[in-house]
Amino acid sequence: MKKRFFASIMLIFILLPILFIRAEENYDGSIYRFNDYTGSVTEAESQMLNDKINISIEPLKTDFPIFLLDTFDFDGELWEYADIVYEKNKFGYGDKKDGIFLVIDLQNNRFGVYFYGKADSNTPSAKQIELRDKIKALFDDEETPYYAIFDRYLDIAFELAREWNLEKADKQDGMPYWYTDDVEGFQNYHAENPPRVVDDAGILTEEQKAELTEQVQRICDTYDYSYVIFTDDSTHGLSKEVYGADFIYYAGYGKGDDFSTVCFFLCLEEGNRGWRTISTNSYEEVYTSDVTYTIDEIVDSDMRSGNYFTALKNQADYIEKSLAEGNFEIIEPRKAKKTNFFGWPLIVGIIIALVIAGMVIADMEAKMRLSTAVSANEYLAKGSLNIRNKSVQLMYSTITRTKKQESSSGGGSSYSSGSASSGGSYSAGGRDF
């Protein structure tokens, strides 16, 4: 009996650390999240703010670290400092390190609030600006003590996280945060100020993303257009065409009653890498196979070289220039040149060939003699046959028959039309690499 009792106690001690690890696998709870290097708040106040952040991370599935600096001797921009600190201190919730990071530089009288992971992709630019304006208003009130400022800021950030419903970001079915819970009952809607660059693959720096966002938003505002750049590291088992189209509809993009839009989607999933220019409804008439082929030619070299930002920037430049000029310039697909087999040169050539052939045959007949049979090897010079590879590579190993939507653009590009999971139509062209 005693042996069983002690065995049970030992088992509990063995499993206890595992249980704690599992409870905190989504974030590191041992890290201090409110860091005041200026002495602006008391130690007790600092502890209360830190506790307030910690108890809210799991319910909101978002991290909310704060850094208050008295000096800034970092050789770089504030956002660069924030990125390094955020990564080195292992801030963030979940695989994509979701979080909102507030950094205050009192030496230079400035601050920055930075969004990471799903907090970034779920946050429209207008909401990000709104949060920054609220923070500035808090600091503009000189009579409010720092503890009250940070306490109020956290309330605003927490409410923002609840509003965006980040706690439902990870679906039970394994689909991404923007995917609908009810495919059959889904109704198209217009999202209010949706983000114009959604970098779920995490390939862009803050500076690059800001530059692209500014350009895409300018295009949308100037030409009353619906346009978004989207990257991800998985399509969750769907084709790139359907996955990109689902993103358009389920994330609330599109203009008008038919929810027309264009999305440039880059997938960096291992074994499934490629890009697609996906258009819906009335935009399908604009983004034809010729236009998407042109975009493919523009981005191809940089995509294959890993210069993703340059590729995304170039396709955005093409769209902006085309809208400004009112015409999408087309690059003709590369095709084999056709040879003209008719005309007098052919006739002369045939006559000459016949004359030469007749002369050769006559000479061969004159020299022809009967000889005994020899083996095939006798016709080979010794050492001239060298079989380097014993395998056989077939030109066509698999034949798949599918309904043809539209002919390929050529040059390695594909183009097709179909329906998204919501039932909405789309057309898509692009390449794999």
Side-chain angles (χ1 to χ4, degrees), residues 263-284:
C263 170
F264 187 87
F265 171 50
L266 171 61
C267 176
L268 293 177
E269 183 178 14
E270 187 67 23
N272 188 35
R273 298 197 309 166
W275 66 84
R276 298 292 185 272
T277 300
I278 304 169
S279 57
T280 60
N281 302 303
S282 64
Y283 281 23
E284 294 179 63

Side-chain angles (χ1 to χ4, degrees), residues 21-28 58 61 92-95 97:
I21 292 173
R22 288 185 176 180
E24 296 188 352
E25 63 182 358
N26 287 317
Y27 69 99
D28 190 343
E58 186 62 44
K61 297 190 179 350
Y93 181 92
D95 294 336
K97 302 300 179 183

